[in-house]
Amino acid sequence: MNKTYFLAYPAVFQLSRYRNFPVVEASWSMLHNERPYLCNFLGTVYENSSRQALMNILKQDGNDKLCWVSAREQWQPQETNESLKNYQDALLQSDLTLCPVGVNTECYRIYEACSYGSIPVVEDVMTAGSCGNASVYPNAPLQLLKSMDAPFIFIKNWNELPAVLEKEKTLILQEKVQRRKMLLHWYQHFKTELKMRFTNVLESSFLMNNKG
């Protein structure tokens, strides 16, 4: 079985099961309203991690005051009703969602941001493990997203973030609305395509096992 599809499937399609994350229906206000926050990050900040570097960079230029930032030191396996609501509100009210790596490069946050039309700013680096070799596979990590032309902002180092945010400040609402529509359209296509591919892999595997 193709591990790329097998591993990506739960992250996209089982958010409600593992994260209690609801299915989000795009509304007129989600697409067209001005959002009060430039960006958001709500999550665990591990010592000596790139997430800690991200927090420092946001504070340097005062951008933390323009973004919804809520950091914690201890990882929580399940969200409370209050923390989940805060997280959903942050996604809905932010133009960008910052997606630093954690234990893995890919995380639920990427797809949850897509659900709300908040552009993921994804840290494009390899975490420890065997999910791919960047010297052999130039698109690794996140090669599935890249192969499907995900309309995200990929960065290699959070030092690039101030320039990203400065550019963001110059966009007019109409440009942001078009970008949200494009993101939501891409995300719907991505889920449909991935589901079809995953089903084909399962059927092929099942037929091969039966022949054996």
Side-chain angles (χ1 to χ4, degrees), residues 1-14 17-18 106 144 148 189-207:
M1 180 178 292
N2 188 313
K3 289 185 177 179
T4 300
Y5 301 143
F6 181 77
L7 292 174
Y9 183 88
V12 179
F13 293 104
Q14 299 192 32
R17 179 177 177 184
Y18 293 107
E106 184 187 20
L144 179 62
M148 295 188 69
H189 170 73
F190 173 74
K191 289 188 292 183
T192 302
E193 178 72 15
L194 196 61
K195 185 176 182 179
M196 182 181 68
R197 293 187 189 187
F198 184 76
T199 301
N200 290 341
V201 169
L202 284 180
E203 289 176 348
S204 300
S205 178
F206 179 76
L207 290 174

Side-chain angles (χ1 to χ4, degrees), residues 130-194:
S130 56
C131 63
N133 186 322
S135 63
V136 178
Y137 305 101
N139 286 332
L142 306 168
Q143 52 189 303
L144 179 62
L145 292 171
K146 293 175 183 177
S147 70
M148 295 188 69
D149 298 320
F152 302 165
I153 300 172
F154 294 99
I155 63 176
K156 292 292 186 182
N157 190 299
W158 288 113
N159 287 325
E160 300 171 42
L161 183 61
V164 170
L165 296 182
E166 286 304 311
K167 181 179 180 181
E168 191 69 18
K169 294 172 186 176
T170 67
L171 299 181
I172 62 173
L173 179 58
Q174 185 178 2
E175 291 174 303
K176 294 178 182 179
V177 169
Q178 291 304 314
R179 187 176 62 177
R180 288 173 203 163
K181 290 179 179 179
M182 182 177 66
L183 175 62
L184 289 168
H185 177 77
W186 174 88
Y187 186 46
Q188 186 59 48
H189 170 73
F190 173 74
K191 289 188 292 183
T192 302
E193 178 72 15
L194 196 61

Side-chain angles (χ1 to χ4, degrees), residues 14 24 34 37 42 80 84 87 104 117 120 127 148 151 203 207:
Q14 299 192 32
V24 180
E34 190 76 66
Y37 296 99
L42 286 73
T80 65
L84 179 59
Y87 177 56
N104 300 300
T127 54
M148 295 188 69
E203 289 176 348
L207 290 174

Side-chain angles (χ1 to χ4, degrees), residues 23-210:
V23 175
V24 180
E25 296 291 340
S27 64
W28 190 94
S29 59
M30 179 192 292
L31 289 171
H32 295 89
N33 281 4
E34 190 76 66
R35 299 190 177 191
Y37 296 99
L38 193 62
C39 67
N40 78 78
F41 173 74
L42 286 73
T44 310
V45 176
Y46 308 102
E47 189 175 358
N48 299 320
S49 69
S50 67
R51 295 185 175 199
Q52 196 170 62
L54 168 59
M55 294 298 101
N56 292 334
I57 288 168
L58 281 172
K59 291 175 184 175
Q60 284 175 6
D61 296 309
N63 283 317
D64 58 326
K65 296 179 176 61
L66 304 177
C67 297
W68 186 326
V69 178
S70 179
R72 62 193 180 207
E73 295 181 357
Q74 297 294 324
W75 178 72
Q76 293 178 258
Q78 292 292 334
E79 299 285 351
T80 65
N81 289 338
E82 181 182 2
S83 66
L84 179 59
K85 184 180 185 306
N86 285 340
Y87 177 56
Q88 293 169 338
D89 287 345
L91 296 176
L92 179 60
Q93 297 181 43
S94 303
D95 290 314
L96 305 176
T97 292
L98 308 181
C99 302
V101 299
V103 176
N104 300 300
T105 301
E106 184 187 20
C107 63
Y108 288 114
R109 188 191 317 274
I110 295 171
Y111 305 106
E112 291 162 345
C114 289
S115 296
Y116 280 96
S118 183
I119 303 295
V121 180
V122 182
E123 186 179 9
D124 183 13
V125 299
M126 183 69 69
T127 54
S130 56
C131 63
N133 186 322
S135 63
V136 178
Y137 305 101
N139 286 332
L142 306 168
Q143 52 189 303
L144 179 62
L145 292 171
K146 293 175 183 177
S147 70
M148 295 188 69
D149 298 320
F152 302 165
I153 300 172
F154 294 99
I155 63 176
K156 292 292 186 182
N157 190 299
W158 288 113
N159 287 325
E160 300 171 42
L161 183 61
V164 170
L165 296 182
E166 286 304 311
K167 181 179 180 181
E168 191 69 18
K169 294 172 186 176
T170 67
L171 299 181
I172 62 173
L173 179 58
Q174 185 178 2
E175 291 174 303
K176 294 178 182 179
V177 169
Q178 291 304 314
R179 187 176 62 177
R180 288 173 203 163
K181 290 179 179 179
M182 182 177 66
L183 175 62
L184 289 168
H185 177 77
W186 174 88
Y187 186 46
Q188 186 59 48
H189 170 73
F190 173 74
K191 289 188 292 183
T192 302
E193 178 72 15
L194 196 61
K195 185 176 182 179
M196 182 181 68
R197 293 187 189 187
F198 184 76
T199 301
N200 290 341
V201 169
L202 284 180
E203 289 176 348
S204 300
S205 178
F206 179 76
L207 290 174
M208 289 178 63
N209 288 337
N210 279 352

